[in-house]
Amino acid sequence: MKKLLMASAATALMAGSVSAEDVKIGVILGFTGPIESLTPSMADGAELAMKEVTDSGLLLDGATVASVRADSTCIDAGAASAAAERLITSDGVDAIMGADCSGVTGAILNNVAVANGVVMISPSATSPGLSHADNEDNGLFFRTAPSDARQGVVITDILIDQGIKEVAVTYTNNDYGKGLADSFQAAFEAAGGSVTINAAHEDGKADYSAEVGALAAAGGERLVVAGYVDQGGSGVVRAALDSGAFDTFHFPDGMISAKLLENFGSEIDGSSGAHPSPSEELTAAFGELVGGAFDHTSPFTPESYDAAALIMLAMQAANSKDSADYKGKVMDVANAPGEQIGVGELAKGLQILKDGGEIDYVGATGVELIGPGEAAGNYREINFDGGTDNTARFR
């Protein structure tokens, strides 16, 4: 991953320049920062949907779709807001696929998207606080990822099923980390478990021995690490392993990637994990469409395909690329009634909508938007053994 990615690098999906009639979608993700190992495939997933639609020639009477990338950094709200502002005012995007991390997503929504009236669909912002954004977002914000209120219950179920009743928790000190840690603690204690300590850690530190010392003093059968794999989360795990404070962990979504195994291999055998994921059937269908071009199983990659797809299908349903016109169509195309549209079937969906019909977009993740326009939530449970991450089941 290039460290110096331009904050707004246009990635045209068709040869030649983009005309005024064509569609631009901003793809704003943390191409640098604590989840930079996850975002390349997320962007690829979104852009695959854009290419599929462009190749169909059916969107808005033949409009092509171009992706314009920007770096959210995942953690710097000011930089993320500035990048989003450039996407809208300089690049003229008609929608935003993103952002990724919850804090910067909220900042972009409040500071930029609402002010400019632009729809944004996040594939990975999971803070429960964003569930209340519908009160202030003017109907512009959606997410194909579930709330961490759901993830807290999933982690609880995994640990209780494994007979684990006492855990320590460390979380990255931001909206994502605190929201997930609090949701998990509430669910775990309601199920009869005990959280010995629920402590924040800061990203970007060279030494996490003090944090691990406090976690070790509190004790627990397993350490839940609600952090980032490319940042403090891995730092805490390394310090815990080196000191012998903990030898098994639970890894939520922000820790799950190939980088986790690269960092620790068999050292984390016996640990558990989970991340939002489609069923095995849907995963296989998405993999067939991707054809090995990128890692289709990487967390939030299928959600990114679906986020971009929903934007374009809503535009078609409204016969407009104006957010004010198509924002009210997102929930319509995402849910029943209508003909189900699977992954790789965007041309079929566009044609049905063009003919005045209704669709129920299933896509790569079994899309069903509930409440304020967020995914209901399906999770892949992982166990770590022999230096690999193995699918235990789907929840």
Side-chain angles (χ1 to χ4, degrees), residues 254-281:
M255 292 294 295
I256 303 295
S257 81
K259 189 69 173 178
L260 183 68
L261 293 175
E262 180 184 326
N263 288 346
F264 303 109
S266 61
E267 291 183 278
I268 54 174
D269 282 2
S271 297
S272 56
H275 66 90
S277 175
S279 67
E280 291 184 88
E281 181 181 1

Side-chain angles (χ1 to χ4, degrees), residues 191-210:
S194 173
V195 174
T196 62
I197 184 173
N198 192 347
H201 65 258
E202 302 295 336
D203 286 324
K205 295 182 65 174
D207 181 9
Y208 288 92
S209 58

Side-chain angles (χ1 to χ4, degrees), residues 87-153:
L87 283 177
I88 294 170
T89 60
S90 298
D91 297 306
V93 301
D94 304 297
I96 291 175
M97 198 300 297
D100 43 5
C101 300
S102 296
V104 295
T105 298
I108 292 170
L109 175 65
N110 295 326
N111 299 334
V112 183
V114 171
N116 290 279
V118 174
V119 164
M120 59 186 294
I121 303 184
S122 171
S124 57
T126 55
S127 170
L130 290 169
S131 295
H132 307 296
D134 60 318
N135 296 324
E136 303 171 350
D137 71 359
N138 297 334
L140 294 166
F141 179 67
F142 307 87
R143 49 181 171 171
T144 51
S147 165
D148 278 331
R150 164 75 174 135
Q151 185 170 191
V153 173

Side-chain angles (χ1 to χ4, degrees), residues 6-203:
M6 292 186 65
S8 182
T11 305
L13 297 175
M14 292 287 289
S17 60
V18 180
S19 72
E21 292 75 30
D22 292 327
V23 172
K24 290 183 180 181
I25 298 178
V27 174
I28 183 161
L29 300 169
F31 294 106
T32 62
I35 61 165
E36 63 183 32
S37 64
L38 298 180
T39 51
S41 63
M42 292 170 65
D44 289 340
E47 289 164 358
L48 178 62
M50 296 180 210
K51 184 179 187 302
E52 187 180 335
V53 166
T54 294
D55 289 349
S56 78
L58 292 170
L59 177 65
L60 304 178
D61 296 320
T64 60
V65 187
S67 165
V68 188
R69 292 190 181 191
D71 188 5
S72 77
T73 76
C74 172
I75 51 175
D76 187 332
S81 296
E85 188 74 38
R86 287 192 296 273
L87 283 177
I88 294 170
T89 60
S90 298
D91 297 306
V93 301
D94 304 297
I96 291 175
M97 198 300 297
D100 43 5
C101 300
S102 296
V104 295
T105 298
I108 292 170
L109 175 65
N110 295 326
N111 299 334
V112 183
V114 171
N116 290 279
V118 174
V119 164
M120 59 186 294
I121 303 184
S122 171
S124 57
T126 55
S127 170
L130 290 169
S131 295
H132 307 296
D134 60 318
N135 296 324
E136 303 171 350
D137 71 359
N138 297 334
L140 294 166
F141 179 67
F142 307 87
R143 49 181 171 171
T144 51
S147 165
D148 278 331
R150 164 75 174 135
Q151 185 170 191
V153 173
V154 169
I155 298 172
T156 293
D157 291 345
I158 291 170
L159 296 176
I160 294 295
D161 286 353
Q162 293 184 6
I164 293 171
K165 297 293 184 69
E166 187 177 78
V167 299
V169 178
T170 180
Y171 63 89
T172 183
N173 193 17
N174 61 19
D175 291 352
Y176 159 69
K178 180 164 177 51
L180 175 53
D182 289 348
S183 294
F184 164 67
Q185 180 169 0
F188 194 61
E189 291 179 344
S194 173
V195 174
T196 62
I197 184 173
N198 192 347
H201 65 258
E202 302 295 336
D203 286 324

